[in-house]
Amino acid sequence: MLWDLFMESITDKLRVFCTILAFIIPYAIYKINNRLHEYGDPPWKKDQVEE
Protein backbone atom coordinates (compact mmCIF):
# COMPACT_ATOMS: atom_id res chain seq x y z
CA MET A 1 0.00 0.00 0.00
CA LEU A 2 2.74 2.46 0.91
CA TRP A 3 4.75 1.36 -2.11
CA ASP A 4 1.80 2.05 -4.45
CA LEU A 5 1.37 5.53 -3.01
CA PHE A 6 5.09 6.17 -3.47
CA MET A 7 5.07 4.98 -7.08
CA GLU A 8 2.05 7.13 -7.95
CA SER A 9 3.61 10.24 -6.42
CA ILE A 10 6.74 10.12 -8.56
CA THR A 11 6.19 11.76 -11.91
CA ASP A 12 7.65 10.53 -15.18
CA LYS A 13 9.55 13.78 -15.59
CA LEU A 14 11.27 13.25 -12.26
CA ARG A 15 12.30 9.74 -13.23
CA VAL A 16 13.78 10.95 -16.50
CA PHE A 17 15.58 13.79 -14.74
CA CYS A 18 17.07 11.48 -12.11
CA THR A 19 18.12 8.97 -14.76
CA ILE A 20 19.93 11.69 -16.68
CA LEU A 21 21.62 12.91 -13.50
CA ALA A 22 22.67 9.35 -12.68
CA PHE A 23 24.71 9.39 -15.90
CA ILE A 24 25.91 13.00 -15.95
CA ILE A 25 27.24 13.27 -12.37
CA PRO A 26 29.61 10.25 -12.47
CA TYR A 27 30.73 11.16 -16.00
CA ALA A 28 31.54 14.73 -14.94
CA ILE A 29 33.50 13.48 -11.92
CA TYR A 30 35.42 11.08 -14.19
CA LYS A 31 36.32 13.88 -16.61
CA ILE A 32 37.33 16.28 -13.83
CA ASN A 33 39.49 13.58 -12.25
CA ASN A 34 41.25 12.97 -15.57
CA ARG A 35 41.91 16.71 -15.97
CA LEU A 36 43.32 16.95 -12.46
CA HIS A 37 45.65 14.02 -13.12
CA GLU A 38 46.68 15.52 -16.47
CA TYR A 39 47.75 18.80 -14.87
CA GLY A 40 48.70 17.67 -11.37
CA ASP A 41 50.69 14.45 -11.73
CA PRO A 42 54.46 14.76 -11.34
CA PRO A 43 56.60 14.17 -14.45
CA TRP A 44 57.89 10.79 -13.24
CA LYS A 45 54.37 9.49 -12.90
CA LYS A 46 53.37 10.72 -16.37
CA ASP A 47 56.31 8.80 -17.90
CA GLN A 48 55.30 5.65 -16.03
CA VAL A 49 51.70 5.83 -17.27
CA GLU A 50 52.72 6.30 -20.94
CA GLU A 51 54.91 3.16 -20.96
Side-chain angles (χ1 to χ4, degrees):
M1 179 151 170
L2 185 60
W3 180 254
D4 293 332
L5 179 63
F6 176 72
M7 291 305 291
E8 290 174 4
S9 66
I10 298 177
T11 63
D12 289 333
K13 291 179 185 179
L14 180 60
R15 280 188 204 168
V16 172
F17 179 70
C18 289
T19 303
I20 292 170
L21 283 181
F23 172 76
I24 290 176
I25 292 172
Y27 184 73
I29 291 172
Y30 169 76
K31 287 304 220 179
I32 290 169
N33 191 26
N34 279 345
R35 287 281 171 113
L36 289 174
H37 279 287
E38 184 179 314
Y39 294 117
D41 282 349
W44 58 266
K45 191 168 184 182
K46 290 181 183 177
D47 293 339
Q48 184 181 17
V49 171
E50 290 175 359
E51 292 177 356

